[in-house]
Amino acid sequence: MRLSEKQWTLLILAALIALSPFFFPSSYYYRVGSLIFVNGLAVTGIVILTGYAGQISLGHAGFAGIGAYACALAPAHLGLHPALALVLGAAISGVLAFLVGRPILRLKGYYLAVASLGLGILVAMALANESWITGGPDGIKVADLGLRAVLKSQGLDLSNTEFWYAFTGLALLIGAWLALNLHDSPTGRALRALHGSEIAARTVGIDVARAKLAAFVISAVYASVSGSLLALQNRFITPDVAGYMHSIEMVTMAVLGGAGSVLGAIFGAGILTMLPQVLTVFAEYEQLMLGLVMMLVMIFMRQGLLPSVLRLIRGRGE
Amino acid sequence: MKFMNTIEKDSSRLNRKSSISGCFCIRFFRKTISGLRLDALALGALMASGFAGTSALADIRIGATVSETGPAAFLGDPEARTLRLLVEKINAAGGVNGEQLKLFLYDDGGDPNKARTFATRLVEDDEVQAIIGGTTTGTSMSIIPIAEEAEIPFISLAGAIEIIDPVKEWVFKTPHTDRMACEKIFADMKKQGYTKIGLISGTDGFGASMRKQCLDVVGGYGIEVVGDESYGPQDADMTPQLTNLKGKPGIQAILNPGFGQGPSIVTRNYAQLGIRLPLYQSHGVASDGFIALAGKDAAEGVRLPGTALLVAGLLPDGDPQKPVVTAYIEDYKGSHGTAPTTFGGYAHDALRIYVDAVKRAGSAEPAAVRDAIEATSGLVGTTGVVTYSPKDHLGLDLSAFRLLEIRNGSWALAE
């Protein structure tokens, strides 16, 4: 039986998630792993928006902030279970993305980048300044998800870092599976068509505005879930999660690894999450290195790191 | 010593794991790994004792994550320098209880998420026996769960009262709280007979938290807040807010809770607008950098609560803090060429408290050290005289704050 590209991608991803722990010298690596998965989830959303549909958002951290603060505030004020709070956050993010995206995405060009940039900054400002509810810039505590205790009562006693590694890894797999399914669905085809040429897509009967809106809403939900998972894992969240730099980081991760491919983007998330850990000795040069890597990728590997390398390997094989 | 600790830790891990019935391949593998590590460690211990022919002297492992870069760098940078400097000095003098200190220091850039990751790394990878750090309240709050879970002492360098209130078993802190700064300032205002004041605060973590604490306690001093303005941490001009405050009827003084560049700009604008009311700043700007940024003339007459460190030369000879702060200033000047700031002093005190506790506990075993830290009594630091108790993990009172006034471009005692 020959596996399709989608199956290959999922298989590789699952294997990486399941087998990496065999090489972990200490449980600190579980923490880094789960951070990669959380970032990878957000970046998968960027793949749908930027890689498939060719739209750019510079405010996705705003949605991550909404997801994160939903998990902090809804259990405390509405008595919701944190898992439902995650769903609520995703719903709010989706609705907000719909409301903002609907007028903006009727326009051609880079209006979405500007509008989302403003939206992200607004969310970050609201989280920092409305301290009577959000706890202000010093951050706020987040309720416990409680799943670990349930697993423990079932006889599976995982440490905190191990649990979050497994849980976020699973979330990433599901996220990647959905994104890959979308790729070959009618909506996915429509998105890729309009990425190539909006006019051509329109002439073959694609509702361009609607397709773009769908991509924006879906990617907002991805970012929101990633923010929620981060908040639930850290049990504490500050408005930094919605900060402008976090938005840029997401886009950078996607572009670095290869915005057109789910696996590539997750690869990019992995590199950029690990880099600060590896470079602790050169902490002051971190930005410099990041800029350099980014420049080199943009000049020599315009498709992103992973797709370019794959092409190189395949090219030799033929 | 250290080997024994690690072996104990590993074998307890082993025991915990073997009791689990659920099959999980990762667990199985880690079990094997810890087993291997145990062997390797035992081998290492044997070799060490065989080679050197002395008892294996291990290190006391101290972890630190501070904001050496990023928006809180002016706090974190002197903290990091101080920790490195003092550890070097203590080691050169023979270490603690005959063991050398080993410092694992990371820069979290003020990002709470990174701080949590580095704290995990310190606990899991570097296997430290205590954590010092958390330059900002946000980073401290994200380190707390890690330290609590690992059951090692954590001494925070951040201001907010939430860190130690309610008291957490493993968490201590060295700086004064915002609330105490407010109380010190309001006590002086009351003495001067001011009853109507204006607030202009930054919306950053420090400013927002201090504003809240000040509004909480202001009523107790018979003082009324007649104007309450704010500015963003990146704002470059505060004249509109100050003009607003100036126009409030009956206003007698203005207080500016904030840190970073904001208060310098407020102070400059204050002079430009020719406001004659007394201006109070917070302990967040208690460094020479503030006077330089605001300008000598604009800063003239500004009052703020600060620590003995800023006015070491002016302290009377009988002051218990005088020898401590003088020694620290000399050390710091000797290696960095500049005088240390209040913030470096926080790190200085944290390390002293830890080392003192290790000495009294006789070992670096975390639980024993925690108990010893809690029993710290009358320890003279740069920030004040520290006395912890099971109910008080701050250990300072108002007497540790000195009310300072800026005169002719330098600090003077106002009391």
Side-chain angles (χ1 to χ4, degrees), chain B residues 4-232:
Chain B
M4 290 312 291
N5 281 346
T6 325
I7 289 170
E8 265 166 39
K9 208 165 139 197
D10 274 5
S11 44
S12 72
R13 264 188 204 162
L14 267 175
N15 290 338
R16 204 177 74 215
K17 275 179 193 145
S18 22
S19 67
I20 296 153
S21 51
C23 167
F24 197 48
C25 57
I26 296 173
R27 297 222 139 269
F28 171 75
F29 186 74
R30 282 207 48 206
K31 215 157 97 180
T32 332
I33 276 281
S34 359
L36 284 173
R37 252 164 80 193
L38 200 90
D39 295 343
L41 277 170
L43 196 70
L46 272 175
M47 278 166 67
S49 52
F51 272 33
T54 55
S55 60
L57 280 186
D59 302 322
I60 297 174
R61 303 161 82 87
I62 304 175
T65 160
V66 295
S67 313
E68 223 177 331
T69 57
F74 72 101
L75 305 170
D77 182 55
E79 288 167 1
R81 286 170 186 234
T82 301
L83 287 175
R84 288 197 192 100
L85 171 72
L86 290 183
V87 164
E88 204 175 290
K89 198 184 151 209
I90 292 170
N91 283 341
V96 182
N97 297 343
E99 292 183 63
Q100 294 279 297
L101 298 180
K102 195 160 161 73
L103 177 70
F104 296 85
L105 188 131
Y106 297 117
D107 170 21
D108 57 43
D111 176 358
N113 192 32
K114 263 194 196 167
R116 191 183 162 106
T117 309
F118 281 128
T120 312
R121 182 170 184 171
L122 288 171
V123 168
E124 302 287 351
D125 221 31
D126 303 326
E127 299 185 345
V128 298
Q129 287 149 315
I131 297 180
I132 292 174
T135 302
T136 66
T137 303
T139 54
S140 289
M141 294 302 280
S142 15
I143 298 168
I144 288 174
I146 305 278
E148 283 182 328
E149 202 182 327
E151 304 196 328
I152 58 170
F154 168 45
I155 307 179
S156 162
L157 310 176
I161 196 163
E162 289 98 307
I163 296 166
I164 43 94
D165 183 33
V167 172
K168 300 169 189 73
E169 193 184 352
W170 297 94
V171 184
F172 301 84
K173 77 184 209 84
T174 53
H176 299 93
T177 63
D178 312 337
R179 185 183 281 259
M180 292 167 75
C182 297
E183 286 169 348
K184 187 77 188 175
I185 292 167
F186 291 146
D188 186 61
M189 286 182 171
K190 195 179 174 187
K191 210 167 80 187
Q192 309 284 339
Y194 307 142
T195 54
K196 288 185 174 175
I197 63 155
L199 280 184
I200 172 165
S201 32
T203 54
D204 53 286
F206 183 93
S209 161
M210 183 165 167
R211 170 182 168 273
K212 191 167 150 260
Q213 298 295 334
C214 282
L215 290 176
D216 268 2
V217 297
V218 70
Y221 293 84
I223 296 171
E224 189 192 344
V225 176
V226 293
D228 185 5
E229 300 284 337
S230 69
Y231 57 83

Side-chain angles (χ1 to χ4, degrees), chain A residues 40-296:
Chain A
L41 194 63
V43 170
T44 308
I46 301 282
V47 167
I48 295 174
L49 184 70
T50 308
Y52 294 2
Q55 306 299 308
I56 292 170
S57 162
L58 298 177
H60 258 52
F63 298 118
I66 291 174
Y69 273 80
C71 283
L73 298 176
H77 294 282
L78 306 175
L80 272 186
H81 188 273
L84 288 176
L86 182 147
V87 177
L88 178 73
I92 297 176
S93 297
V95 169
L96 191 65
F98 181 82
L99 292 177
V100 173
R102 202 172 150 78
I104 295 295
L105 288 167
R106 295 185 159 279
L107 304 168
K108 269 187 241 163
Y110 293 108
Y111 290 99
L112 183 68
V114 179
S116 57
L117 177 65
L119 179 73
I121 290 175
L122 275 177
V123 172
M125 273 174 72
L127 292 178
N129 291 346
E130 300 306 315
S131 54
W132 57 277
I133 176 143
T134 64
D138 277 346
I140 189 168
K141 276 188 187 152
V142 180
D144 186 17
L145 182 60
L147 189 59
R148 208 178 126 211
V150 174
L151 287 180
K152 198 172 177 179
S153 68
Q154 298 298 315
L156 187 62
D157 184 13
L158 296 173
S159 81
N160 198 20
T161 42
E162 286 165 351
F163 166 73
W164 280 105
Y165 179 87
F167 191 67
T168 51
L170 201 65
L172 177 64
L173 264 183
I174 297 172
W177 176 61
L178 292 174
L180 289 165
N181 274 349
L182 186 74
H183 188 263
D184 295 323
S185 74
T187 313
R189 278 182 229 280
L191 289 176
R192 283 181 288 146
L194 75 89
H195 188 183
S197 159
E198 273 195 36
I199 297 170
R202 212 183 291 265
T203 41
V204 295
I206 292 169
D207 187 341
V208 170
R210 214 184 123 196
K212 282 198 279 190
L213 186 59
F216 186 54
V217 171
I218 294 170
S219 68
V221 170
Y222 268 92
S224 174
V225 172
S226 124
S228 293
L229 289 177
L230 186 70
L232 289 169
Q233 179 184 9
N234 285 0
R235 299 288 310 278
F236 183 82
I237 200 76
T238 63
D240 293 326
V241 69
Y244 171 65
M245 278 317 288
H246 190 201
S247 295
I248 300 297
E249 241 174 55
M250 287 186 199
V251 176
T252 315
M253 284 171 180
V255 172
L256 176 69
S261 114
V262 171
L263 202 59
I266 295 171
F267 182 64
I271 292 182
L272 285 199
T273 311
M274 282 189 293
L275 212 57
Q277 298 295 325
V278 180
L279 295 182
T280 46
V281 196
F282 316 101
E284 287 161 40
Y285 305 104
E286 192 188 315
Q287 312 285 336
L288 198 81
M289 303 275 280
L290 213 64
L292 184 69
V293 170
M294 204 61 209
M295 261 163 54
L296 292 176

